[in-house]
Amino acid sequence: MAKSRIPNAIAMRALKYGSATPQDRESAAQALRAQGRRAEAILLFEGLGGHAFLREERDWAIGEGEGFHLISVKRLGAQVEEKDLRACAAAAEARGRWMDARNCWLELGAEDEVKRIAEHLPGSLRPEGSDAMPDS
């Protein structure tokens, strides 16, 4: 049986903080991405905000409306601009990903946009004063 390219927790620690080569880190990140484990993959680039992998993840998140992922990439140090958050929110709305849209709007401080989409949010997350009816 072939050895898995997906690192376990101890191997992830070595990749992030040990003497692993950049190629080892990149290989593991690509393997994680291929398995749909993007949230784990980006953690390998914490503190490396300018890394191409994070730029690729930023662009993917914007296109897919994956607001949580985009904000995670931003928090790891990648450059994410206001226009990126707005584009991600729009893509999220188009896909019916209302929580992702909400996250982007909140990251921007755009409470008016959160109110605009309030009818699509769970009652407990609807802003006060929104016209959305509470959940039944």
Side-chain angles (χ1 to χ4, degrees):
M1 183 188 313
K3 183 180 175 190
S4 173
R5 291 180 29 207
I6 302 292
N8 62 26
I10 294 171
M12 283 288 284
R13 182 175 181 198
L15 286 167
K16 284 179 70 174
Y17 306 114
S19 59
T21 67
Q23 293 80 15
D24 290 339
R25 179 181 291 140
E26 183 76 28
S27 176
Q30 293 295 344
L32 287 163
R33 180 192 278 167
Q35 293 292 315
R37 295 168 62 176
R38 291 175 176 269
E40 293 169 86
I42 63 174
L43 293 176
L44 292 171
F45 300 98
E46 183 176 1
L48 301 172
H51 196 280
F53 192 89
L54 290 179
R55 288 192 304 272
E56 292 167 7
E57 288 298 298
R58 176 199 60 207
D59 295 345
W60 173 83
I62 292 166
E64 294 297 317
E66 294 276 350
F68 182 82
H69 194 70
L70 180 61
I71 293 166
S72 296
V73 167
K74 179 182 177 193
R75 289 184 178 152
L76 288 173
Q79 183 177 357
V80 175
E81 298 177 10
E82 180 178 323
K83 68 179 177 68
D84 300 329
L85 287 160
R86 290 185 179 283
C88 186
E93 288 182 27
R95 288 173 173 74
R97 301 180 57 87
W98 302 107
M99 292 300 295
D100 280 304
R102 176 185 179 270
N103 287 340
C104 289
W105 294 129
L106 288 175
E107 187 74 13
L108 287 165
E111 291 289 333
D112 55 328
E113 295 291 348
V114 177
K115 284 182 181 180
R116 182 180 57 77
I117 66 168
E119 69 180 287
H120 302 287
L121 300 173
S124 63
L125 295 177
R126 292 179 183 154
E128 220 175 281
S130 67
D131 294 334
M133 296 296 294
D135 289 333
S136 305

